[in-house]
Amino acid sequence: MSLIITVGREFGSGGRELGRRLADELGIAYYDREILLEIEKQTPYCLEYIEQVTEKKPVPLLPIHYGMSFSTAGDPHLDQSIDIYAAQTKILKELAEKSSCVIIGRCADEVLKEIKPTRVFVYADMQSKIARCKGRDDSPNKPDDKALAKKIKKIDKNRSKYYEFYTGKKWGDKVNYDFMVNTSNHSIKDIAHALAETLRPELNK
Amino acid sequence: MSLIITVGREFGSGGRELGRRLADELGIAYYDREILLEIEKQTPYCLEYIEQVTEKKPVPLLPIHYGMSFSTAGDPHLDQSIDIYAAQTKILKELAEKSSCVIIGRCADEVLKEIKPTRVFVYADMQSKIARCKGRDDSPNKPDDKALAKKIKKIDKNRSKYYEFYTGKKWGDKVNYDFMVNTSNHSIKDIAHALAETLRPELNK
């Protein structure tokens, strides 16, 4: 049986690193930006635009669910966002069908809910997130802590709105996940190893 | 260095079993009802009364913190609840000082925050909690699912209010924990093993 692991994550919490390590430990596929590249192939939109709309709630309408009957009142931006979400949904389902894998973000927990993925959410306190962002920024003019905190909050607000728009559920709410891990006080390597050990028996079922 | 693990848990989620397994795997002490027995020794109150007040918010006042200056306006029930919380606080600190351990409930994450315990929260969906409660009830007249759900909700509401009353924080909110585990879809044995493996290096530091 395939083991599908979805990883939701706060910006700067190390969710990608955790997902990557988890995939490596379990010897399964890892999908993150690969999904965006695939959307680019399958739609007329460029990568930059796809990146921009896949982490933001498209327009301030009431929550809708893709596939329901509704009118976008001819809003081209909304139409395009939904086109891209539809392509993403199709790609996620194809990937999950193909083999065991770890998928980062992209509402994959909701898109794949029928095959019951293992849903992980990664978070951390603001201080740790700022430290992690600083550590991976090699530019000479690094933003200060206040500016970084503002950026982190903004990105997470967008992720949260995007998730809620397409799923109707609350991003980061424990009821929507199987494991919630705070990376502030424990090493991502150790956490990834522990999760891999917990999930390995399911891989071999 | 001591490893102190606190386990908050929804009723019926298997938090006790997880805590017990974690302590067994790590070969460290486990404290649950032992704390109530110790409170009984150190205060004039009987075990039944202690059990009753240590999972319920005492009175509908504004949140207070034990140790702050305030008046209980001569309410004997509130005075006794606070007496018991004070004894519990003292005992928890003594136990944590003594050796590495797992402590179930009792706002231990907050009481011991200065020594930075590893804070675990265990939860599950209602269906799983009902199934677990049924499994451990040997009585001939088991309550039906609806009655069980009502009981579970009531107990958790009390735990939540008790926690919020004494800590000023939200019970079960991810920001207050390091690991949040949903026992609905994964074996408690596997989760406990994985957590033990993650935390073992800290025990040997």
Side-chain angles (χ1 to χ4, degrees), chain A residues 41-112:
Chain A
K41 272 191 221 160
Q42 298 193 14
T43 66
Y45 310 109
C46 71
L47 190 61
E48 207 178 359
Y49 183 70
I50 294 165
E51 273 185 311
Q52 196 190 315
V53 301
T54 49
E55 290 221 326
K56 274 187 191 166
K57 178 182 166 187
V59 283
L61 286 178
L62 287 172
I64 51 153
H65 293 266
Y66 180 77
M68 279 173 66
S69 162
F70 66 94
S71 161
T72 61
D75 179 325
H77 178 59
L78 179 58
D79 285 345
Q80 287 164 6
S81 292
I82 290 171
D83 261 7
I84 289 171
Y85 189 78
Q88 181 172 281
T89 297
K90 184 173 156 275
I91 293 161
L92 289 175
K93 287 185 177 177
E94 283 166 3
L95 293 174
E97 185 105 337
K98 221 164 69 178
S99 69
S100 293
C101 60
V102 171
I103 300 170
I104 306 295
R106 316 198 185 287
C107 306
D109 53 318
E110 178 69 13
V111 171
L112 303 174

Side-chain angles (χ1 to χ4, degrees), chain A:
Chain A
M1 205 180 77
S2 282
L3 170 63
I4 310 299
I5 303 169
T6 64
V7 180
R9 76 294 180 217
E10 287 181 357
F11 185 76
S13 68
R16 272 188 179 151
E17 184 191 334
L18 192 141
R20 168 67 78 185
R21 285 182 179 274
L22 199 48
D24 285 351
E25 287 232 16
L26 291 166
I28 62 179
Y30 169 87
Y31 300 118
D32 181 10
R33 277 181 61 84
E34 296 79 358
I35 297 163
L36 300 180
L37 296 170
E38 197 55 40
I39 297 173
E40 192 190 26
K41 272 191 221 160
Q42 298 193 14
T43 66
Y45 310 109
C46 71
L47 190 61
E48 207 178 359
Y49 183 70
I50 294 165
E51 273 185 311
Q52 196 190 315
V53 301
T54 49
E55 290 221 326
K56 274 187 191 166
K57 178 182 166 187
V59 283
L61 286 178
L62 287 172
I64 51 153
H65 293 266
Y66 180 77
M68 279 173 66
S69 162
F70 66 94
S71 161
T72 61
D75 179 325
H77 178 59
L78 179 58
D79 285 345
Q80 287 164 6
S81 292
I82 290 171
D83 261 7
I84 289 171
Y85 189 78
Q88 181 172 281
T89 297
K90 184 173 156 275
I91 293 161
L92 289 175
K93 287 185 177 177
E94 283 166 3
L95 293 174
E97 185 105 337
K98 221 164 69 178
S99 69
S100 293
C101 60
V102 171
I103 300 170
I104 306 295
R106 316 198 185 287
C107 306
D109 53 318
E110 178 69 13
V111 171
L112 303 174
K113 67 181 174 189
E114 281 167 26
I115 57 167
K116 296 193 181 295
T118 293
R119 305 153 303 167
V120 177
F121 190 83
V122 187
Y123 63 102
D125 59 37
M126 185 52 84
Q127 210 182 344
S128 309
K129 292 190 285 193
I130 288 173
R132 181 164 285 110
C133 288
K134 276 180 160 173
R136 65 190 180 198
D137 183 356
D138 292 331
S139 63
N141 299 316
K142 293 185 187 188
D144 63 17
D145 288 7
K146 206 177 150 190
L148 259 177
K150 202 175 159 191
K151 182 186 164 192
I152 291 168
K153 276 184 197 157
K154 194 179 167 194
I155 292 175
D156 280 349
K157 199 173 170 190
N158 282 333
R159 285 184 181 175
S160 170
K161 285 188 172 179
Y162 178 80
Y163 184 87
E164 283 175 47
F165 183 83
Y166 283 111
T167 70
K169 299 196 297 190
K170 202 174 160 204
W171 185 71
D173 182 347
K174 66 179 182 294
V175 301
N176 301 321
Y177 306 93
D178 296 297
F179 299 99
M180 313 259 299
V181 294
N182 183 339
T183 56
S184 310
N185 304 315
H186 295 90
S187 113
I188 290 180
K189 192 180 163 191
D190 289 344
I191 299 172
H193 178 69
L195 274 175
E197 289 313 299
T198 310
L199 301 174
R200 199 182 302 279
E202 293 176 41
L203 189 62
N204 302 328
K205 258 180 196 166

